[in-house]
Amino acid sequence: MDIPAGLEMTSNFNKVCRLQKSLYGLKQSPRAWFERFTKVVKGYGFVQCHFPEGKLAIIIIYVDDIILTGDHEEKIDLLKKLLTKEFEIKDLGNLKYFLGMEIARSKKGIAVSQRKYVLDLLNETGMLGCKPTETPMDTTIKLEESDGSAPVDKGRYQRLVGKLIYLSHTRPDIGFSVSVVSQFMNNPTEKRMTAVIRILRYLKMTPGKGLFFQRTTKKEIEIFSDADWAGSVTDRRSTSGYCSFVWGNLVTWRSKKQSVVARSSAEAEFRAMAQGICEGIWLNRLLEELRVPLKHPMVLYCDNQAAISIAKNPVHHDRTKHVEIDRHFIKEKIEEGVFKVSYTPTNCQTADILTKALARGNFENLTEKLGMINIYNAA
């Protein structure tokens, strides 16, 4: 920082500058801004999501971009006026664009996509004229720790993968492929860069695809959990995947390599089930805070009969000692009536798209089940 204008410096200058206002670029800026904003909002009687009573006016804030929603129009208008007194704000009307996400409304529901973000990314990488592909990952290729190919620019690889990670916020169809390429951030090679380029070629074919939240009469939470046993050829760890549907619409999903090596497919599936249940509990708590009516128990779908049997069987086995914590956790939630576990055939397992690379037919079928559409498609 430069010395402020008008401050005289002498040879024996031994003073320090005290920062009166946090500035952009400093490490403490986000914290200082959030503390200031929180103090103002709480000063008007608002609380931070702890089962509030009365009318709801919900604030979603990212730095200085804010979304306001709620169940009472007058409360929302009042909050706008209160914020105007404290800060310089601009009301942009109904939500259409937020942090690279485009929102479109119709009588049937709400569509969220990142079409402009995708086109900008393709333009930046010179891929606007590339040959498109129908799936984000080749089913015949497995990325290994030592693939024998030459190293590539580490900075460029990390920037590309970082942008794809952000894009996956509205694109669960690239969730698994992005999860795989992100495992090699510190050691990118030509083969791994080819896998990243493959994702870009897939995006070239589907730039406007996004999530569609439709009006529905459903009132339950459904979670699909799956695992690809020993799928990593590098360390033979399994990949867990889950996706959760609230009122029939996809709201959260995840594809992640498990932290330990599973000794059987049932163990891998069991760990994935525990992660899915944790997600369901979090969703249930969030919706309770928002006073959204729910139907219990929540349903967890799994395509492994052995894992379901272990979850429901109260008898302890020597073969389940290594997953004892997860077993007790799942059993407890089933007995409490929070969850029930149901079997679903593998060809109906929606989370399969988050655990492995799939062929075109199966991939397109599961993408449709996730509720993804392309509102820019002329058809």
Side-chain angles (χ1 to χ4, degrees):
M1 295 177 64
D2 295 327
I3 296 295
L7 181 63
E8 296 182 3
M9 290 183 62
T10 60
S11 57
N12 61 346
F13 186 79
N14 59 358
K15 295 182 180 179
V16 296
C17 294
R18 180 183 177 189
L19 189 65
Q20 298 285 2
K21 188 184 236 183
S22 190
L23 306 174
Y24 276 105
L26 298 180
K27 288 185 178 180
Q28 70 267 38
S29 297
R31 180 181 176 185
W33 157 242
F34 186 70
E35 284 180 353
R36 166 89 169 106
F37 186 85
T38 303
K39 184 178 179 181
V40 169
V41 175
K42 283 187 174 181
Y44 289 120
F46 287 85
V47 295
Q48 284 182 283
C49 278
H50 292 296
F51 301 94
E53 296 182 358
K55 299 299 182 180
L56 277 178
I58 303 167
I59 305 172
I60 303 170
I61 178 170
Y62 183 87
V63 190
D64 55 355
D65 293 309
I66 301 172
I67 298 176
L68 286 179
T69 185
D71 61 359
H72 197 266
E73 195 69 35
E74 291 181 7
K75 284 286 184 184
I76 294 175
D77 290 337
L78 175 62
L79 181 56
K80 288 179 185 177
K81 293 176 182 177
L82 295 175
L83 291 176
T84 304
K85 292 180 181 178
E86 300 286 343
F87 310 105
E88 292 183 18
I89 64 170
K90 184 177 181 182
D91 187 354
L92 299 177
N94 287 334
L95 182 63
K96 295 180 180 177
Y97 193 83
F98 185 73
L99 302 178
M101 301 178 190
E102 300 166 51
I103 294 89
R105 288 180 175 82
S106 71
K107 292 181 179 179
K108 294 182 179 179
I110 299 173
V112 182
S113 66
Q114 288 175 274
R115 182 174 181 270
K116 182 179 182 300
Y117 184 90
V118 171
L119 295 176
D120 288 345
L121 178 58
L122 293 173
N123 183 49
E124 178 188 329
T125 55
M127 298 286 289
L128 272 176
C130 71
K131 182 179 178 182
T133 185
E134 293 170 327
T135 59
M137 200 164 198
D138 193 335
T139 57
T140 62
I141 293 178
K142 293 281 189 179
L143 297 183
E144 305 175 40
E145 191 64 39
S146 302
D147 57 20
S149 59
V152 297
D153 182 3
K154 185 176 178 180
R156 180 170 182 260
Y157 184 91
Q158 291 178 342
R159 283 192 299 274
L160 277 176
V161 175
K163 291 183 177 183
L164 289 173
I165 289 173
Y166 184 71
L167 178 60
S168 63
H169 287 156
T170 60
R171 299 292 298 262
D173 51 336
I174 64 171
F176 172 72
S177 51
V178 172
S179 172
V180 172
V181 297
S182 65
Q183 295 171 22
F184 304 100
M185 291 287 228
N186 292 319
N187 187 24
T189 62
E190 289 180 350
K191 188 174 181 180
R192 292 158 194 167
M193 181 60 86
T194 301
V196 174
I197 298 301
R198 166 92 181 208
I199 300 174
L200 294 175
R201 289 174 56 203
Y202 168 71
L203 294 174
K204 170 63 166 59
M205 187 170 188
T206 59
K209 186 169 282 190
L211 291 172
F212 183 64
F213 301 92
Q214 60 183 335
R215 291 179 179 272
T216 176
T217 57
K218 283 187 174 184
K219 297 293 181 184
E220 58 263 348
I221 295 178
E222 297 174 309
I223 297 175
F224 292 82
S225 75
D226 193 28
D228 180 34
W229 181 46
S232 172
V233 295
T234 299
D235 53 17
R236 285 305 172 190
R237 292 184 184 180
S238 307
T239 300
S240 294
Y242 65 75
C243 51
S244 56
F245 292 80
V246 176
W247 294 9
N249 293 301
L250 179 67
V251 292
T252 63
W253 58 91
R254 193 178 193 189
S255 175
K256 183 177 175 61
K257 186 192 284 189
Q258 294 183 1
S259 57
V260 295
V261 178
R263 292 188 286 174
S264 66
S265 59
E267 179 185 340
E269 295 275 1
F270 207 68
R271 297 188 190 281
M273 285 172 63
Q275 291 179 351
I277 287 178
C278 287
E279 185 72 6
I281 292 171
W282 174 80
L283 275 172
N284 184 70
R285 182 176 180 276
L286 176 64
L287 292 170
E288 281 181 350
E289 291 185 349
L290 298 177
R291 300 207 297 270
V292 175
L294 294 172
K295 181 189 283 187
H296 282 90
M298 293 177 277
V299 184
L300 178 75
Y301 291 100
C302 176
D303 62 2
N304 188 287
Q305 294 278 25
I308 295 174
S309 177
I310 293 172
K312 293 181 177 180
N313 190 351
V315 180
H316 292 256
H317 300 282
D318 286 341
R319 62 177 182 164
T320 64
K321 283 183 178 178
H322 51 292
V323 289
E324 202 68 8
I325 295 175
D326 286 338
R327 196 183 79 82
H328 281 294
F329 172 68
I330 294 173
K331 178 173 172 289
E332 181 182 278
K333 297 306 173 186
I334 292 175
E335 290 176 347
E336 290 176 355
V338 177
F339 268 93
K340 73 174 182 179
V341 180
S342 296
Y343 174 74
T344 183
T346 301
N347 60 348
C348 298
Q349 175 55 274
T350 311
D352 203 33
I353 198 173
L354 297 166
T355 62
K356 60 180 74 70
L358 300 173
R360 176 191 169 189
N362 197 11
F363 179 82
E364 290 181 348
N365 180 44
L366 292 182
T367 301
E368 188 175 330
K369 286 186 176 181
L370 289 174
M372 300 192 69
I373 64 168
N374 185 3
I375 63 172
Y376 299 94
N377 195 337

